[in-house]
């Protein structure tokens, strides 16, 4: 049986959470500082963000570790604290999830370095970068691994291999960003991602980020059409597109827009639904209400 399905139980779709970075910025994280810094210096703010999503109805909390690989942490002088950054993040999410019966997804974003031939990283080096992050997340107590916002199938393969290497019993979810004419930046189509990543051992495959709900629904339909037996599908759309409002960006999809979108994803047969950039606890609460999941645990 699919390892993630076994963890999730029968109710579908399962509600994920939304963006973390903007919540931390709203709590005072300074421009130019990575959100991961607060896994060290302001754990209360990270915990408050998880709590807001849990209260909104999220059943899976995503660790604050999108930029938790060594190359990304090195950009901010935090590379030597990689284990602490990732372990703390998992523990903070765990502290909110425990007692509420929620799951914790250990979040991995792109490594921050391109693989050959566009860049220099070999598959083995890429796998090693993901593996050291997963080790620390597992020490902190994650329930599953979520690799997200990828563009390159080779990088996804390396992340899957890393998770299998250091956490063979944990379910693995891989989502890619189909933000370039319904393909990833590297030209991968949704159906090809589903076929490839299912064969590579992912328990769930999906799409995140991107260009808003409308395109996400086209992508979701293509994923459903390619779904092999037993694979779960995931969609976490941005809350529309960013618009300049005064001195900052605001995403143009309202909570109601995202709720209607989530209902259409559920009708398509998507198993796990959440949000990405611009999605707040308010958006997630509206989705929970639309899916009839307010209070479902
Ligand atoms: Zn995003």
């Amino acid at each position: 049986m699919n390892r993630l399905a076994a963890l999730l139980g029968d109710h579908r779709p399962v509600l994920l959470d939304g963006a973390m970075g903007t919540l931390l910025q709203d709590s005072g994280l300074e421009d130019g500082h990575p959100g991961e810094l607060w896994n060290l210096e302001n754990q209360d703010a990270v915990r408050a963000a998880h709590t807001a999503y849990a209260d909104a109805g999220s059943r899976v909390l995503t660790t604050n570790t999108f930029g938790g690989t060594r190359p990304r942490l090195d950009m901010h002088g935090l590379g030597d604290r990689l284990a602490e950054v990732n372990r703390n993040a998992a523990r903070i999410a765990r502290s909110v999830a425990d007692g509420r019966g929620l799951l914790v997804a250990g979040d991995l974003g792109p490594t921050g370095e391109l693989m050959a031939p566009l860049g220099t990283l070999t598959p083995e080096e890429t796998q090693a970068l993901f593996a050291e992050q997963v080790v620390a997340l597992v020490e902190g107590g994650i329930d599953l691994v979520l690799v997200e916002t990828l563009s390159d199938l080779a990088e996804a393969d390396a992340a899957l291999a890393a998770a299998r290497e250091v956490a063979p019993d944990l379910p693995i979810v891989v989502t890619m960003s189909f933000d370039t004419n319904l393909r990833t930046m590297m030209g991968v189509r949704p159906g090809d991602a589903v076929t490839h990543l299912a064969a590579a051992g992912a328990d769930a495959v999906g799409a995140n980020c991107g260009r808003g709900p409308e395109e996400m629904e086209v992508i979701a339909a293509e994923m459903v059409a390619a779904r092999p037996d037993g694979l779960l599908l995931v969609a976490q759309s941005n809350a529309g597109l960013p618009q300049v409002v005064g001195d900052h960006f605001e995403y143009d999809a309202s909570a109601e827009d995202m709720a209607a979108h989530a209902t259409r994803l559920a009708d398509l047969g998507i198993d796990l639904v959440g949000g990405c950039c611009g999605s707040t606890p308010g958006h997630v609460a509206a989705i929970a209400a639309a899916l009839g999941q307010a209070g479902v645990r």
Side-chain angles (χ1 to χ4, degrees), residues 19 66 148-149 177 208-210 236-239 251 275-278:
F66 177 80
E148 54 141 320
T149 325
S177 176
N208 79 297
C209 218
Q236 292 197 273
S237 178
N238 286 354
Y251 284 80
C276 197
C277 306

Side-chain angles (χ1 to χ4, degrees), residues 41-127:
E41 295 185 354
N42 190 351
Q43 300 192 19
D44 286 346
V46 179
R47 190 174 292 109
H50 287 311
T51 302
Y53 280 119
D55 288 346
S58 297
R59 282 200 55 214
V60 181
L61 304 179
T62 308
T63 59
N64 178 37
T65 53
F66 177 80
T69 55
R70 187 168 296 275
R72 284 179 179 263
L73 291 176
D74 275 342
M75 287 191 275
H76 303 284
L78 292 172
D80 58 349
R81 301 183 76 183
L82 179 143
E84 199 184 353
V85 163
N86 285 285
R87 201 167 51 224
N88 285 5
R91 286 183 180 152
I92 297 164
R94 189 82 265 155
S95 73
V96 177
D98 285 345
R100 295 173 182 252
L102 308 183
L103 298 171
V104 173
D107 193 46
L108 280 66
T111 63
E113 304 272 355
L114 290 175
M115 293 178 70
L118 291 179
T120 58
L121 277 190
T122 66
E124 294 73 22
E125 288 164 342
T126 307
Q127 181 177 336

